[in-house]
């Protein structure tokens, strides 16, 4: 759920690419440069923002949601990941932003990790405008 109690995530039947940006809740500001770069490349690609909540101390959803509501503009929705599902599923270091690019069916096509640098724009542009294809034959399907 996001900070407003709405469920969210990737669309299971999207027609085009989808992007998820996953970062620690304490470092949410670091996703902004990535999101700006993505918007300059494609203004229409859906972006899902995910705040990974550190599991070092017990944390309740409502306290995280309240903090996000206070600190973020009302039009910025961020999913609250209390269990680290995204980080575990994709082996992410959430201390830095992770940009995950998926096709419409939810297949992961590319990952960009780290603090945004202008030198990353070419690779990001390539992945958003001419995404790598997924070889399903290698997966035994």
């Amino acid at each position: 759920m996001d900070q407003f109690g709405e469920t969210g995530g990737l669309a299971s039947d999207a027609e085009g690419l989808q992007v998820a940006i996953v970062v620690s809740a304490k470092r949410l500001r670091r996703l902004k440069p990535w999101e700006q770069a993505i918007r300059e490349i494609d203004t229409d690609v859906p972006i899902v923002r995910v705040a990974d909540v550190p599991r070092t101390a017990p944390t309740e959803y409502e306290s995280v949601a309240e903090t996000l509501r206070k600190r973020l503009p009302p039009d910025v929705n961020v999913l609250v990941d209390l269990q680290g599902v995204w980080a575990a599923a994709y082996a992410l270091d959430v201390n830095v932003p992770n940009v995950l690019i998926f096709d419409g069916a939810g297949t992961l096509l590319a990952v960009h990790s780290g603090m945004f640098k202008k030198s990353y724009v070419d690779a990001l542009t390539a992945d958003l405008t001419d995404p790598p294809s997924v070889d399903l034959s290698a997966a035994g399907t």
Side-chain angles (χ1 to χ4, degrees):
M1 291 190 301
D2 69 15
Q3 73 269 35
F4 303 108
E6 300 294 323
T7 58
L10 297 174
S12 59
D13 59 350
E15 292 187 23
L17 296 179
Q18 307 177 76
V19 173
I21 306 176
V22 184
V23 69
S24 170
K26 294 180 179 186
R27 294 178 169 83
L28 277 173
R29 289 182 185 178
R30 295 181 177 179
L31 67 77
K32 188 174 182 177
W34 279 107
E35 187 167 349
Q36 288 173 331
I38 292 165
R39 290 287 173 230
E40 288 178 15
I41 298 164
D42 185 342
T43 58
D44 296 326
V45 67
I47 298 176
V48 174
R49 300 168 201 92
V50 180
D52 183 272
V53 178
R55 284 153 297 287
T56 54
T59 305
E60 298 290 325
Y61 161 80
E62 190 51 49
S63 66
V64 175
E66 181 179 343
T67 300
L68 292 177
R69 287 191 301 265
K70 287 179 184 177
R71 294 186 180 172
L72 297 173
D75 62 334
V76 175
N77 296 26
V78 177
L79 298 178
V80 177
D81 186 357
L82 291 172
Q83 287 79 36
V85 173
W86 286 82
Y90 300 105
L92 304 175
D93 174 0
V94 295
N95 290 308
V96 297
N98 298 273
V99 176
L100 290 76
I101 302 172
F102 297 88
D103 66 12
T107 302
L108 181 64
L109 301 176
V111 177
H112 298 267
S113 295
M115 299 300 293
F116 179 78
K117 296 178 184 176
K118 288 184 181 183
S119 61
Y120 295 163
V121 170
D122 289 343
L124 183 62
T125 300
D127 287 339
L128 289 171
T129 58
D130 187 25
S133 60
V134 177
D135 182 7
L136 296 177
S137 64
T141 57

